[in-house]
Amino acid sequence: MSVQERKQRERADRERLIVDTARELAEQQGWDAVTTRRLAEAIEYSQPVLYSHFRGKREIIGAVALQGAADLAVAVRAATAAADGPRERVTALARAYLDFAARNPAVYDALFQLDGGLPYAQEDTPEPLKDAFAALMETLGEVAGEGVHPGLFTEVFWAALHGQATLTRAGRLPAGDVERRAQLVVDRLAVL
């Protein structure tokens, strides 16, 4: 391995460490606790090293969002692959999505609430975000119904799940009814 390859690998490892540490700190203490100073201390590098990877917290949030999008896509695909039939796949998708949001609130915020500087629903949308949407559409496209654009249906279904996830976490909806609400979305929106 050349010196340049080693340096590139070390840089990539450091960047992963920064993102993983930011994600962990945000999940434990919230995004307000994630500062460049605290991150630098936690990873045992100086702030200038951190700034050589990210220009600031906004870019770190964006990196966590991209990592979270990849994780969400994996979770949704794993859940739907284990289900037989369209109804079961859609139900598995809804549960996996809501479970991901509940288990990873800081990552979910990085994806959908905070400004990570990422373009959504545009040509230059980063691949992990496109892939997370594709993971939803792979299952939802098959139940969109006659004459309904699969992408549009996926957006509406996703919006219903996002609303549930966000309102439940904020205490605006009773946490005990998560399963019933998810099943209602499946039963009323999906053409099965």
Side-chain angles (χ1 to χ4, degrees), residues 61-80:
I61 290 169
V64 170
L66 293 177
Q67 186 185 70
D71 293 348
L72 176 60
V74 167
V76 166
R77 285 188 176 112
T80 58

Side-chain angles (χ1 to χ4, degrees), residues 19-51:
V19 173
D20 291 345
T21 303
R23 182 176 178 166
E24 184 179 314
L25 187 57
E27 290 294 1
Q28 291 173 356
Q29 299 177 32
W31 278 105
D32 287 342
V34 179
T35 64
T36 55
R37 174 186 233 152
R38 288 189 74 190
L39 277 175
E41 288 172 7
I43 64 171
E44 298 178 347
Y45 283 98
S46 67
Q47 282 183 294
V49 169
L50 196 140
Y51 282 115

